[in-house]
Amino acid sequence: MDNHPPMKLRRRRRAFLWGVLMILTVSVALPTAVTWVAAQDAEHANPRAEFWRAVRQGAAGFSTVRGPQANVLIDSRGEDWRLLRNGPVAGFGAVAMGSMVVLLLLYSILHGRVRIEGGRSGRTIPRWSLFNRTLHWYTAILFIVLAITGLSLLYGRAVLIPWLGLDAFAAYAAFAKLVHNYLGPAFAIGVVLILVLWLRFNLPEKTDWQWIKAGGGLLGRGRHPHCGFMNPGEKIFTYGSMLVLGIVVVATGFVLDFPNVPQPRATYQLSQLLHDAAALLWITIMLGHIYLGLWGVEGALEGMVSGEVDENWARQHHDLWYEQVKQGTATQEAIRGPQGGGAGTPEPGRPSTV
Ligand code: HEM
């Protein structure tokens, strides 16, 4: 009996084996060939490609223009700066400001306004002089304009373009930038004056710790802790934020306002990131201050508008200062400001004019 498979079957087997062999050969040979060709190409690579790669990575060339990095055509750190600004910095600001708004809404709903205990007495005492009120509102209004224009520049692409469209946003952004750049130095004057002239109101006092432990009387409805002319909340957050964040914002703002002063681009980029981060944190804190001043604490705004506060408000929030005023030992001249005048008669306890 013939055990050999039929001829046709043998041919098929052989064809199959040859097929497998060819596939294996091609799958090894082809990548090897491609790699070899690429290696040959790299040996004869276009030197201009290397040149442009170096330019892209910030290599310095030659330029007759003078100034730091004038001979660097492309500073690739600019891309890192852009990613940091539009990513973590802008994101941090949005989360911080958004959280503060939510917190204030919750506080307002759950706790409500801090009312004047026993209602208004109908008698007022002078608290802020005309000079100090003017200084406050000059600085506050500039702060608000700078915050609106600054936020428009940072978040405009994401928030305003879909709303205004490209052309209207371009016109607004150009205007906002101009306003921001020119009003910055004017705001710096207000910041410096407040820091210098109001320092004496914001020095630490023995009673501050008790006030902090009692949460400033803002939480719960217990007795308001003892307090002098300024409470530690104002000292730490309002004045303190101006001392730390205000100085950072103003100093970096000056660097940004004068790009033609010779300085490395890295200084400019770092200043911009610091300026944004500090300003965003400051705006977040000032949202709390504005809420408390406008609405949260009944009777506080009057002091900054007319210069006078109700006696019951003074007794409730600043009892130690109130006692001094009553005993005639308060630093009223200090309170009335370096220029004096403006808050009406310094005589305490006169009928309300508010
Ligand atoms: C609508 C906005 C604002 C309102 C309603 C407001 C209201 C007030 C009020 C009522 C006081 C006096 C509190 C007291 O007598 O104890 C005050 C103090 C103060 N405000 Fe404002 N303010 C506003 C915006 C600002 C802004 C934007 C800034 C900063 C740039 C600012 C900085 C200050 C400072 C530094 C004090 C004194 C706090 C201290 O010395 O500790 N205010 N504000």
mmCIF file of all heavy atoms in Angstrom, residues 127-128 136-137 139-141 143-144 187 191 194 198 201-202 229-231 233-236 238-240 242 282 286 289-290 292-294 300-304 309 313 318, ligand 1:
data_model
loop_
_atom_site.group_PDB
_atom_site.id
_atom_site.type_symbol
_atom_site.label_atom_id
_atom_site.label_comp_id
_atom_site.label_asym_id
_atom_site.label_seq_id
_atom_site.Cartn_x
_atom_site.Cartn_y
_atom_site.Cartn_z
ATOM 1 N N ARG A 127 -15.997 107.671 63.721
ATOM 2 C CA ARG A 127 -15.068 106.525 63.616
ATOM 3 C C ARG A 127 -14.026 106.743 62.515
ATOM 4 O O ARG A 127 -12.857 106.528 62.718
ATOM 5 C CB ARG A 127 -15.861 105.232 63.370
ATOM 6 C CG ARG A 127 -15.002 103.983 63.292
ATOM 7 C CD ARG A 127 -15.821 102.736 63.490
ATOM 8 N NE ARG A 127 -15.061 101.533 63.177
ATOM 9 C CZ ARG A 127 -14.262 100.900 64.029
ATOM 10 N NH1 ARG A 127 -14.090 101.373 65.248
ATOM 11 N NH2 ARG A 127 -13.629 99.805 63.666
ATOM 12 N N TRP A 128 -14.478 107.144 61.338
ATOM 13 C CA TRP A 128 -13.526 107.314 60.227
ATOM 14 C C TRP A 128 -13.586 108.752 59.728
ATOM 15 O O TRP A 128 -14.659 109.261 59.390
ATOM 16 C CB TRP A 128 -13.861 106.367 59.068
ATOM 17 C CG TRP A 128 -13.668 104.910 59.392
ATOM 18 C CD1 TRP A 128 -14.630 104.009 59.713
ATOM 19 C CD2 TRP A 128 -12.418 104.202 59.427
ATOM 20 N NE1 TRP A 128 -14.078 102.779 59.939
ATOM 21 C CE2 TRP A 128 -12.721 102.856 59.775
ATOM 22 C CE3 TRP A 128 -11.093 104.549 59.205
ATOM 23 C CZ2 TRP A 128 -11.741 101.884 59.899
ATOM 24 C CZ3 TRP A 128 -10.121 103.576 59.329
ATOM 25 C CH2 TRP A 128 -10.437 102.262 59.663
ATOM 26 N N HIS A 136 -9.905 105.051 51.760
ATOM 27 C CA HIS A 136 -10.491 103.715 51.630
ATOM 28 C C HIS A 136 -11.196 103.557 50.285
ATOM 29 O O HIS A 136 -10.970 102.606 49.543
ATOM 30 C CB HIS A 136 -11.477 103.439 52.777
ATOM 31 C CG HIS A 136 -12.197 102.127 52.630
ATOM 32 N ND1 HIS A 136 -13.402 102.026 51.969
ATOM 33 C CD2 HIS A 136 -11.877 100.857 53.032
ATOM 34 C CE1 HIS A 136 -13.782 100.747 51.980
ATOM 35 N NE2 HIS A 136 -12.875 100.023 52.621
ATOM 36 N N TRP A 137 -12.067 104.512 49.932
ATOM 37 C CA TRP A 137 -12.865 104.334 48.714
ATOM 38 C C TRP A 137 -12.033 104.528 47.462
ATOM 39 O O TRP A 137 -12.276 103.877 46.443
ATOM 40 C CB TRP A 137 -14.103 105.251 48.736
ATOM 41 C CG TRP A 137 -15.075 104.781 49.788
ATOM 42 C CD1 TRP A 137 -15.501 105.484 50.868
ATOM 43 C CD2 TRP A 137 -15.708 103.490 49.878
ATOM 44 N NE1 TRP A 137 -16.356 104.722 51.627
ATOM 45 C CE2 TRP A 137 -16.502 103.495 51.048
ATOM 46 C CE3 TRP A 137 -15.678 102.335 49.106
ATOM 47 C CZ2 TRP A 137 -17.262 102.393 51.442
ATOM 48 C CZ3 TRP A 137 -16.439 101.236 49.509
ATOM 49 C CH2 TRP A 137 -17.215 101.276 50.652
ATOM 50 N N THR A 139 -8.918 103.573 47.163
ATOM 51 C CA THR A 139 -8.208 102.297 46.986
ATOM 52 C C THR A 139 -9.191 101.179 46.615
ATOM 53 O O THR A 139 -8.911 100.368 45.728
ATOM 54 C CB THR A 139 -7.473 101.924 48.300
ATOM 55 O OG1 THR A 139 -6.795 103.087 48.766
ATOM 56 C CG2 THR A 139 -6.461 100.829 48.086
ATOM 57 N N ALA A 140 -10.360 101.171 47.282
ATOM 58 C CA ALA A 140 -11.327 100.089 47.045
ATOM 59 C C ALA A 140 -11.869 100.140 45.614
ATOM 60 O O ALA A 140 -11.964 99.111 44.946
ATOM 61 C CB ALA A 140 -12.465 100.176 48.047
ATOM 62 N N ILE A 141 -12.206 101.353 45.130
ATOM 63 C CA ILE A 141 -12.776 101.453 43.778
ATOM 64 C C ILE A 141 -11.727 101.034 42.741
ATOM 65 O O ILE A 141 -12.015 100.281 41.808
ATOM 66 C CB ILE A 141 -13.323 102.872 43.516
ATOM 67 C CG1 ILE A 141 -14.589 103.071 44.359
ATOM 68 C CG2 ILE A 141 -13.626 103.103 42.033
ATOM 69 C CD1 ILE A 141 -15.088 104.490 44.455
ATOM 70 N N PHE A 143 -9.293 98.995 43.276
ATOM 71 C CA PHE A 143 -9.139 97.533 43.428
ATOM 72 C C PHE A 143 -10.206 96.824 42.601
ATOM 73 O O PHE A 143 -9.914 95.867 41.872
ATOM 74 C CB PHE A 143 -9.273 97.154 44.908
ATOM 75 C CG PHE A 143 -9.134 95.681 45.192
ATOM 76 C CD1 PHE A 143 -7.908 95.149 45.583
ATOM 77 C CD2 PHE A 143 -10.219 94.819 45.092
ATOM 78 C CE1 PHE A 143 -7.776 93.786 45.863
ATOM 79 C CE2 PHE A 143 -10.095 93.463 45.366
ATOM 80 C CZ PHE A 143 -8.866 92.942 45.757
ATOM 81 N N ILE A 144 -11.441 97.303 42.707
ATOM 82 C CA ILE A 144 -12.543 96.624 42.018
ATOM 83 C C ILE A 144 -12.379 96.748 40.488
ATOM 84 O O ILE A 144 -12.542 95.769 39.755
ATOM 85 C CB ILE A 144 -13.898 97.177 42.509
ATOM 86 C CG1 ILE A 144 -14.118 96.723 43.971
ATOM 87 C CG2 ILE A 144 -15.059 96.700 41.630
ATOM 88 C CD1 ILE A 144 -15.220 97.449 44.712
ATOM 89 N N PHE A 187 -3.321 102.763 42.047
ATOM 90 C CA PHE A 187 -3.766 101.880 43.141
ATOM 91 C C PHE A 187 -2.623 101.657 44.144
ATOM 92 O O PHE A 187 -2.848 101.644 45.359
ATOM 93 C CB PHE A 187 -4.234 100.555 42.528
ATOM 94 C CG PHE A 187 -4.524 99.471 43.511
ATOM 95 C CD1 PHE A 187 -5.601 99.569 44.378
ATOM 96 C CD2 PHE A 187 -3.724 98.333 43.578
ATOM 97 C CE1 PHE A 187 -5.881 98.552 45.291
ATOM 98 C CE2 PHE A 187 -3.993 97.318 44.477
ATOM 99 C CZ PHE A 187 -5.071 97.429 45.334
ATOM 100 N N VAL A 191 -2.479 101.707 48.312
ATOM 101 C CA VAL A 191 -2.015 100.572 49.118
ATOM 102 C C VAL A 191 -0.920 101.037 50.087
ATOM 103 O O VAL A 191 -0.971 100.753 51.293
ATOM 104 C CB VAL A 191 -1.483 99.435 48.203
ATOM 105 C CG1 VAL A 191 -0.790 98.352 49.010
ATOM 106 C CG2 VAL A 191 -2.620 98.836 47.391
ATOM 107 N N ILE A 194 -2.370 103.312 52.887
ATOM 108 C CA ILE A 194 -3.117 102.545 53.896
ATOM 109 C C ILE A 194 -2.147 101.772 54.788
ATOM 110 O O ILE A 194 -2.260 101.779 56.022
ATOM 111 C CB ILE A 194 -4.132 101.583 53.232
ATOM 112 C CG1 ILE A 194 -5.323 102.383 52.691
ATOM 113 C CG2 ILE A 194 -4.614 100.513 54.208
ATOM 114 C CD1 ILE A 194 -6.446 101.560 52.111
ATOM 115 N N TRP A 198 -2.409 103.316 58.432
ATOM 116 C CA TRP A 198 -3.315 102.518 59.263
ATOM 117 C C TRP A 198 -2.588 101.431 60.039
ATOM 118 O O TRP A 198 -3.228 100.589 60.663
ATOM 119 C CB TRP A 198 -4.447 101.898 58.415
ATOM 120 C CG TRP A 198 -5.342 102.929 57.798
ATOM 121 C CD1 TRP A 198 -5.196 104.299 57.880
ATOM 122 C CD2 TRP A 198 -6.513 102.704 57.015
ATOM 123 N NE1 TRP A 198 -6.193 104.918 57.180
ATOM 124 C CE2 TRP A 198 -7.024 103.970 56.643
ATOM 125 C CE3 TRP A 198 -7.170 101.564 56.589
ATOM 126 C CZ2 TRP A 198 -8.161 104.114 55.857
ATOM 127 C CZ3 TRP A 198 -8.312 101.706 55.807
ATOM 128 C CH2 TRP A 198 -8.803 102.973 55.450
ATOM 129 N N PHE A 201 -3.557 101.110 63.677
ATOM 130 C CA PHE A 201 -4.830 100.461 64.037
ATOM 131 C C PHE A 201 -4.693 98.938 64.062
ATOM 132 O O PHE A 201 -5.583 98.242 64.526
ATOM 133 C CB PHE A 201 -5.933 100.769 63.011
ATOM 134 C CG PHE A 201 -6.173 102.223 62.763
ATOM 135 C CD1 PHE A 201 -6.578 102.661 61.512
ATOM 136 C CD2 PHE A 201 -6.030 103.167 63.770
ATOM 137 C CE1 PHE A 201 -6.831 103.996 61.269
ATOM 138 C CE2 PHE A 201 -6.270 104.508 63.537
ATOM 139 C CZ PHE A 201 -6.669 104.931 62.282
ATOM 140 N N ASN A 202 -3.638 98.436 63.452
ATOM 141 C CA ASN A 202 -3.554 97.003 63.190
ATOM 142 C C ASN A 202 -2.446 96.275 63.951
ATOM 143 O O ASN A 202 -2.101 95.150 63.598
ATOM 144 C CB ASN A 202 -3.390 96.780 61.677
ATOM 145 C CG ASN A 202 -4.667 97.128 60.941
ATOM 146 O OD1 ASN A 202 -5.616 96.368 60.949
ATOM 147 N ND2 ASN A 202 -4.715 98.311 60.344
ATOM 148 N N PHE A 229 -10.162 99.065 68.536
ATOM 149 C CA PHE A 229 -10.614 99.763 67.329
ATOM 150 C C PHE A 229 -10.733 98.828 66.119
ATOM 151 O O PHE A 229 -11.658 98.944 65.318
ATOM 152 C CB PHE A 229 -9.654 100.919 67.004
ATOM 153 C CG PHE A 229 -10.100 101.736 65.823
ATOM 154 C CD1 PHE A 229 -11.237 102.535 65.909
ATOM 155 C CD2 PHE A 229 -9.430 101.685 64.612
ATOM 156 C CE1 PHE A 229 -11.686 103.270 64.819
ATOM 157 C CE2 PHE A 229 -9.867 102.414 63.519
ATOM 158 C CZ PHE A 229 -10.991 103.210 63.628
ATOM 159 N N MET A 230 -9.791 97.910 65.993
ATOM 160 C CA MET A 230 -9.845 96.948 64.881
ATOM 161 C C MET A 230 -9.875 95.541 65.457
ATOM 162 O O MET A 230 -9.171 95.264 66.433
ATOM 163 C CB MET A 230 -8.584 97.071 64.006
ATOM 164 C CG MET A 230 -8.669 98.145 62.972
ATOM 165 S SD MET A 230 -9.941 97.716 61.803
ATOM 166 C CE MET A 230 -10.345 99.315 61.198
ATOM 167 N N ASN A 231 -10.668 94.655 64.855
ATOM 168 C CA ASN A 231 -10.652 93.278 65.352
ATOM 169 C C ASN A 231 -9.594 92.464 64.605
ATOM 170 O O ASN A 231 -9.178 92.845 63.499
ATOM 171 C CB ASN A 231 -12.056 92.652 65.275
ATOM 172 C CG ASN A 231 -12.511 92.431 63.847
ATOM 173 O OD1 ASN A 231 -11.793 91.847 63.047
ATOM 174 N ND2 ASN A 231 -13.704 92.904 63.531
ATOM 175 N N GLY A 233 -9.710 89.837 62.928
ATOM 176 C CA GLY A 233 -10.123 89.410 61.581
ATOM 177 C C GLY A 233 -9.724 90.470 60.570
ATOM 178 O O GLY A 233 -9.148 90.172 59.515
ATOM 179 N N GLU A 234 -10.008 91.727 60.915
ATOM 180 C CA GLU A 234 -9.646 92.830 60.006
ATOM 181 C C GLU A 234 -8.128 92.971 59.932
ATOM 182 O O GLU A 234 -7.565 93.223 58.866
ATOM 183 C CB GLU A 234 -10.270 94.135 60.503
ATOM 184 C CG GLU A 234 -11.792 94.157 60.406
ATOM 185 C CD GLU A 234 -12.406 95.351 61.136
ATOM 186 O OE1 GLU A 234 -12.037 95.604 62.301
ATOM 187 O OE2 GLU A 234 -13.250 96.028 60.539
ATOM 188 N N LYS A 235 -7.500 92.829 61.104
ATOM 189 C CA LYS A 235 -6.030 92.993 61.133
ATOM 190 C C LYS A 235 -5.358 91.937 60.253
ATOM 191 O O LYS A 235 -4.450 92.239 59.495
ATOM 192 C CB LYS A 235 -5.513 92.845 62.565
ATOM 193 C CG LYS A 235 -5.880 93.995 63.475
ATOM 194 C CD LYS A 235 -5.325 93.736 64.874
ATOM 195 C CE LYS A 235 -5.845 94.754 65.863
ATOM 196 N NZ LYS A 235 -5.373 94.497 67.228
ATOM 197 N N ILE A 236 -5.832 90.671 60.395
ATOM 198 C CA ILE A 236 -5.157 89.579 59.678
ATOM 199 C C ILE A 236 -5.572 89.548 58.215
ATOM 200 O O ILE A 236 -4.737 89.526 57.312
ATOM 201 C CB ILE A 236 -5.438 88.218 60.352
ATOM 202 C CG1 ILE A 236 -4.819 88.201 61.749
ATOM 203 C CG2 ILE A 236 -4.895 87.063 59.517
ATOM 204 C CD1 ILE A 236 -5.279 87.053 62.632
ATOM 205 N N THR A 238 -7.914 91.704 56.285
ATOM 206 C CA THR A 238 -8.022 92.909 55.457
ATOM 207 C C THR A 238 -6.673 93.623 55.358
ATOM 208 O O THR A 238 -6.130 93.790 54.267
ATOM 209 C CB THR A 238 -9.095 93.854 56.033
ATOM 210 O OG1 THR A 238 -10.257 93.084 56.361
ATOM 211 C CG2 THR A 238 -9.472 94.916 55.038
ATOM 212 N N TYR A 239 -6.127 93.994 56.519
ATOM 213 C CA TYR A 239 -4.844 94.709 56.500
ATOM 214 C C TYR A 239 -3.702 93.741 56.155
ATOM 215 O O TYR A 239 -2.837 94.056 55.344
ATOM 216 C CB TYR A 239 -4.615 95.363 57.869
ATOM 217 C CG TYR A 239 -3.367 96.217 57.921
ATOM 218 C CD1 TYR A 239 -3.397 97.561 57.557
ATOM 219 C CD2 TYR A 239 -2.158 95.667 58.334
ATOM 220 C CE1 TYR A 239 -2.257 98.334 57.602
ATOM 221 C CE2 TYR A 239 -1.004 96.438 58.380
ATOM 222 C CZ TYR A 239 -1.059 97.766 58.020
ATOM 223 O OH TYR A 239 0.075 98.535 58.056
ATOM 224 N N GLY A 240 -3.747 92.523 56.770
ATOM 225 C CA GLY A 240 -2.675 91.542 56.554
ATOM 226 C C GLY A 240 -2.559 91.122 55.092
ATOM 227 O O GLY A 240 -1.463 90.990 54.559
ATOM 228 N N MET A 242 -3.325 92.880 52.609
ATOM 229 C CA MET A 242 -2.765 94.006 51.869
ATOM 230 C C MET A 242 -1.254 94.081 52.085
ATOM 231 O O MET A 242 -0.493 94.370 51.168
ATOM 232 C CB MET A 242 -3.429 95.297 52.351
ATOM 233 C CG MET A 242 -3.088 96.487 51.520
ATOM 234 S SD MET A 242 -4.040 97.913 52.020
ATOM 235 C CE MET A 242 -5.385 97.878 50.897
ATOM 236 N N TRP A 282 -5.991 87.461 46.784
ATOM 237 C CA TRP A 282 -6.414 88.725 47.409
ATOM 238 C C TRP A 282 -7.891 89.008 47.091
ATOM 239 O O TRP A 282 -8.678 89.381 47.965
ATOM 240 C CB TRP A 282 -5.512 89.861 46.905
ATOM 241 C CG TRP A 282 -5.530 91.082 47.778
ATOM 242 C CD1 TRP A 282 -6.111 91.198 49.006
ATOM 243 C CD2 TRP A 282 -4.948 92.348 47.475
ATOM 244 N NE1 TRP A 282 -5.909 92.465 49.494
ATOM 245 C CE2 TRP A 282 -5.208 93.192 48.573
ATOM 246 C CE3 TRP A 282 -4.233 92.838 46.391
ATOM 247 C CZ2 TRP A 282 -4.779 94.509 48.611
ATOM 248 C CZ3 TRP A 282 -3.800 94.153 46.435
ATOM 249 C CH2 TRP A 282 -4.063 94.978 47.518
ATOM 250 N N MET A 286 -10.894 89.481 49.657
ATOM 251 C CA MET A 286 -11.664 90.730 49.671
ATOM 252 C C MET A 286 -13.149 90.495 49.395
ATOM 253 O O MET A 286 -13.980 91.311 49.785
ATOM 254 C CB MET A 286 -11.091 91.744 48.663
ATOM 255 C CG MET A 286 -9.763 92.343 49.070
ATOM 256 S SD MET A 286 -9.546 92.536 50.842
ATOM 257 C CE MET A 286 -10.191 94.120 51.139
ATOM 258 N N HIS A 289 -14.458 90.398 52.745
ATOM 259 C CA HIS A 289 -14.489 91.743 53.337
ATOM 260 C C HIS A 289 -15.670 92.548 52.769
ATOM 261 O O HIS A 289 -16.413 93.200 53.507
ATOM 262 C CB HIS A 289 -13.158 92.445 53.029
ATOM 263 C CG HIS A 289 -13.117 93.884 53.415
ATOM 264 N ND1 HIS A 289 -12.904 94.306 54.707
ATOM 265 C CD2 HIS A 289 -13.277 95.014 52.687
ATOM 266 C CE1 HIS A 289 -12.926 95.627 54.754
ATOM 267 N NE2 HIS A 289 -13.153 96.084 53.537
ATOM 268 N N ILE A 290 -15.852 92.461 51.469
ATOM 269 C CA ILE A 290 -16.921 93.230 50.819
ATOM 270 C C ILE A 290 -18.288 92.733 51.291
ATOM 271 O O ILE A 290 -19.186 93.527 51.575
ATOM 272 C CB ILE A 290 -16.772 93.155 49.271
ATOM 273 C CG1 ILE A 290 -15.508 93.922 48.843
ATOM 274 C CG2 ILE A 290 -18.005 93.710 48.573
ATOM 275 C CD1 ILE A 290 -15.099 93.745 47.401
ATOM 276 N N LEU A 292 -18.997 91.282 54.205
ATOM 277 C CA LEU A 292 -19.228 91.711 55.591
ATOM 278 C C LEU A 292 -19.518 93.209 55.654
ATOM 279 O O LEU A 292 -20.390 93.655 56.387
ATOM 280 C CB LEU A 292 -18.008 91.380 56.460
ATOM 281 C CG LEU A 292 -17.761 89.886 56.718
ATOM 282 C CD1 LEU A 292 -16.463 89.678 57.469
ATOM 283 C CD2 LEU A 292 -18.920 89.272 57.502
ATOM 284 N N GLY A 293 -18.769 94.003 54.847
ATOM 285 C CA GLY A 293 -18.951 95.455 54.882
ATOM 286 C C GLY A 293 -20.287 95.889 54.298
ATOM 287 O O GLY A 293 -20.968 96.759 54.836
ATOM 288 N N LEU A 294 -20.668 95.264 53.165
ATOM 289 C CA LEU A 294 -21.893 95.695 52.480
ATOM 290 C C LEU A 294 -23.147 95.175 53.166
ATOM 291 O O LEU A 294 -24.148 95.862 53.255
ATOM 292 C CB LEU A 294 -21.892 95.176 51.034
ATOM 293 C CG LEU A 294 -21.211 96.006 49.952
ATOM 294 C CD1 LEU A 294 -21.457 95.364 48.602
ATOM 295 C CD2 LEU A 294 -21.664 97.449 49.958
ATOM 296 N N ALA A 300 -21.884 98.494 59.855
ATOM 297 C CA ALA A 300 -20.450 98.722 59.631
ATOM 298 C C ALA A 300 -20.215 99.722 58.491
ATOM 299 O O ALA A 300 -19.338 100.586 58.575
ATOM 300 C CB ALA A 300 -19.755 97.403 59.315
ATOM 301 N N LEU A 301 -21.033 99.597 57.445
ATOM 302 C CA LEU A 301 -20.818 100.417 56.245
ATOM 303 C C LEU A 301 -20.954 101.912 56.545
ATOM 304 O O LEU A 301 -20.229 102.729 55.977
ATOM 305 C CB LEU A 301 -21.822 99.990 55.163
ATOM 306 C CG LEU A 301 -21.664 100.651 53.798
ATOM 307 C CD1 LEU A 301 -20.316 100.327 53.196
ATOM 308 C CD2 LEU A 301 -22.768 100.187 52.846
ATOM 309 N N GLU A 302 -21.855 102.242 57.463
ATOM 310 C CA GLU A 302 -22.095 103.656 57.771
ATOM 311 C C GLU A 302 -20.806 104.364 58.188
ATOM 312 O O GLU A 302 -20.576 105.515 57.846
ATOM 313 C CB GLU A 302 -23.115 103.770 58.914
ATOM 314 C CG GLU A 302 -24.472 103.257 58.522
ATOM 315 C CD GLU A 302 -25.300 102.795 59.714
ATOM 316 O OE1 GLU A 302 -24.979 103.164 60.866
ATOM 317 O OE2 GLU A 302 -26.273 102.069 59.464
ATOM 318 N N GLY A 303 -19.986 103.626 58.945
ATOM 319 C CA GLY A 303 -18.726 104.207 59.408
ATOM 320 C C GLY A 303 -17.855 104.633 58.248
ATOM 321 O O GLY A 303 -17.175 105.666 58.307
ATOM 322 N N MET A 304 -17.870 103.832 57.159
ATOM 323 C CA MET A 304 -17.024 104.144 56.007
ATOM 324 C C MET A 304 -17.721 105.089 55.029
ATOM 325 O O MET A 304 -17.120 105.569 54.079
ATOM 326 C CB MET A 304 -16.659 102.858 55.262
ATOM 327 C CG MET A 304 -15.279 102.323 55.520
ATOM 328 S SD MET A 304 -14.005 103.531 55.436
ATOM 329 C CE MET A 304 -12.683 102.649 56.231
ATOM 330 N N VAL A 309 -20.633 105.883 63.473
ATOM 331 C CA VAL A 309 -21.293 104.593 63.709
ATOM 332 C C VAL A 309 -22.232 104.713 64.900
ATOM 333 O O VAL A 309 -22.024 105.548 65.782
ATOM 334 C CB VAL A 309 -20.268 103.458 63.987
ATOM 335 C CG1 VAL A 309 -19.516 103.091 62.731
ATOM 336 C CG2 VAL A 309 -19.299 103.838 65.099
ATOM 337 N N TRP A 313 -23.686 99.727 67.894
ATOM 338 C CA TRP A 313 -22.792 98.958 67.015
ATOM 339 C C TRP A 313 -21.383 98.977 67.602
ATOM 340 O O TRP A 313 -20.708 97.949 67.684
ATOM 341 C CB TRP A 313 -22.794 99.571 65.606
ATOM 342 C CG TRP A 313 -21.883 98.843 64.643
ATOM 343 C CD1 TRP A 313 -22.211 97.784 63.860
ATOM 344 C CD2 TRP A 313 -20.488 99.110 64.387
ATOM 345 N NE1 TRP A 313 -21.120 97.364 63.121
ATOM 346 C CE2 TRP A 313 -20.052 98.164 63.430
ATOM 347 C CE3 TRP A 313 -19.569 100.043 64.862
ATOM 348 C CZ2 TRP A 313 -18.741 98.128 62.945
ATOM 349 C CZ3 TRP A 313 -18.249 100.005 64.385
ATOM 350 C CH2 TRP A 313 -17.849 99.059 63.448
ATOM 351 N N HIS A 318 -16.830 96.743 69.015
ATOM 352 C CA HIS A 318 -15.530 97.297 69.431
ATOM 353 C C HIS A 318 -15.683 97.913 70.814
ATOM 354 O O HIS A 318 -15.452 99.103 71.016
ATOM 355 C CB HIS A 318 -15.059 98.349 68.410
ATOM 356 C CG HIS A 318 -14.887 97.796 67.025
ATOM 357 N ND1 HIS A 318 -13.743 97.156 66.606
ATOM 358 C CD2 HIS A 318 -15.743 97.747 65.967
ATOM 359 C CE1 HIS A 318 -13.889 96.744 65.359
ATOM 360 N NE2 HIS A 318 -15.103 97.096 64.937
HETATM 361 C C1 HEM B 1 -17.689 97.424 48.190
HETATM 362 C C2 HEM B 1 -16.492 97.239 48.701
HETATM 363 C C3 HEM B 1 -16.080 97.507 50.124
HETATM 364 C C4 HEM B 1 -16.837 97.770 51.229
HETATM 365 C C5 HEM B 1 -18.332 97.835 51.355
HETATM 366 C C6 HEM B 1 -15.936 97.988 52.325
HETATM 367 C C7 HEM B 1 -16.285 98.289 53.618
HETATM 368 C C8 HEM B 1 -15.438 98.555 54.645
HETATM 369 C C9 HEM B 1 -15.841 98.951 55.966
HETATM 370 C C10 HEM B 1 -17.255 99.140 56.417
HETATM 371 C C11 HEM B 1 -14.727 99.115 56.706
HETATM 372 C C12 HEM B 1 -14.636 99.586 58.164
HETATM 373 C C13 HEM B 1 -14.757 98.475 59.145
HETATM 374 C C14 HEM B 1 -14.730 99.030 60.558
HETATM 375 O O1 HEM B 1 -15.086 100.173 60.757
HETATM 376 O O2 HEM B 1 -14.342 98.269 61.462
HETATM 377 C C15 HEM B 1 -13.611 98.810 55.870
HETATM 378 C C16 HEM B 1 -12.298 98.827 56.259
HETATM 379 C C17 HEM B 1 -11.246 98.536 55.434
HETATM 380 N N1 HEM B 1 -11.307 98.238 54.095
HETATM 381 FE FE1 HEM B 1 -12.979 98.050 52.981
HETATM 382 N N2 HEM B 1 -14.650 97.827 51.866
HETATM 383 C C18 HEM B 1 -14.703 97.542 50.533
HETATM 384 C C19 HEM B 1 -13.654 97.283 49.685
HETATM 385 C C20 HEM B 1 -12.345 97.283 50.096
HETATM 386 C C21 HEM B 1 -11.257 96.936 49.260
HETATM 387 C C22 HEM B 1 -11.389 96.487 47.810
HETATM 388 C C23 HEM B 1 -10.133 97.064 50.003
HETATM 389 C C24 HEM B 1 -8.715 96.813 49.620
HETATM 390 C C25 HEM B 1 -8.192 97.003 48.501
HETATM 391 C C26 HEM B 1 -10.524 97.480 51.325
HETATM 392 C C27 HEM B 1 -9.650 97.707 52.357
HETATM 393 C C28 HEM B 1 -10.027 98.036 53.632
HETATM 394 C C29 HEM B 1 -9.108 98.197 54.729
HETATM 395 C C30 HEM B 1 -7.579 98.035 54.657
HETATM 396 C C31 HEM B 1 -9.866 98.492 55.862
HETATM 397 C C32 HEM B 1 -9.358 98.716 57.270
HETATM 398 C C33 HEM B 1 -9.152 97.376 57.924
HETATM 399 C C34 HEM B 1 -8.008 97.407 58.875
HETATM 400 O O3 HEM B 1 -7.299 98.411 58.951
HETATM 401 O O4 HEM B 1 -7.809 96.372 59.536
HETATM 402 N N3 HEM B 1 -11.877 97.603 51.335
HETATM 403 N N4 HEM B 1 -14.077 98.478 54.619
#
